[in-house]
Amino acid sequence: MFRAPRFITHAALSSALLLAPVIAQADGHDVVRLGDLEMHCVAQSTAALTPEAAHNFNVTRAPDRGLLTIALFRHTGQGQTETQAGQVFAGAINQGNTLTNIPVREVRQGPAVYYLGEFRLQPPDSLRFLINAHVGDKTLKANFKHDFNPIAAP
């Protein structure tokens, strides 16, 4: 299994999260830790993606579409982490209390592994995301909210 210094692994995460510039916002993301495992989850409108990022990851850019990005890591000690593959399941609950399944696909770039899921939006909307990731015999669960507002045309 690939072992990388923490900065290299976080560079891989940064590559995955290039799709997610809203990470600095108060909502729209979650980090879950369980023992030596860590899961990073980010939600955003695909309209916020650059055309290049959308093309590279085969994502449709539109104000009525959202993207969920999930990355899994294992801390191996001495400041090192390794990306992890797992089984990832995701859904979202809208303001009308309707649960929608979000199909998730695995993306590999060199040693980095992460998961992308596209979903429909009706801005303004507030979605609560429910994510389960199974890595070996451990299950990580994330539950976070993101408010989607209409994005003005450039």
Side-chain angles (χ1 to χ4, degrees), residues 1-3 9 72-76 80-84:
M1 176 140 304
F2 175 79
R3 292 183 201 275
T9 301
L72 303 168
F73 298 95
R74 180 177 307 277
H75 294 272
T76 60
Q80 294 187 341
T81 58
E82 49 187 46
T83 60
Q84 295 291 294

Side-chain angles (χ1 to χ4, degrees), residues 47-136:
L49 298 176
T50 65
E52 180 183 21
H55 175 75
N56 289 344
F57 295 99
N58 195 29
V59 172
T60 302
R61 288 180 73 226
D64 66 342
R65 301 204 38 99
L67 179 68
L68 184 61
T69 305
I70 302 155
L72 303 168
F73 298 95
R74 180 177 307 277
H75 294 272
T76 60
Q78 299 172 349
Q80 294 187 341
T81 58
E82 49 187 46
T83 60
Q84 295 291 294
Q87 290 183 307
V88 178
F89 304 94
I93 300 172
N94 66 13
Q95 291 173 319
N97 212 27
T98 302
L99 174 64
T100 302
N101 179 53
I102 300 174
V104 176
R105 61 185 165 95
E106 184 178 275
V107 176
R108 290 183 179 260
Q109 286 187 316
V113 180
Y114 50 96
Y115 300 86
L116 300 178
E118 290 182 75
F119 51 93
R120 289 275 180 202
L121 291 174
Q122 294 180 348
D125 202 357
S126 181
L127 297 179
R128 174 145 313 276
F129 294 92
L130 309 167
I131 301 155
N132 289 337
H134 303 284
V135 179

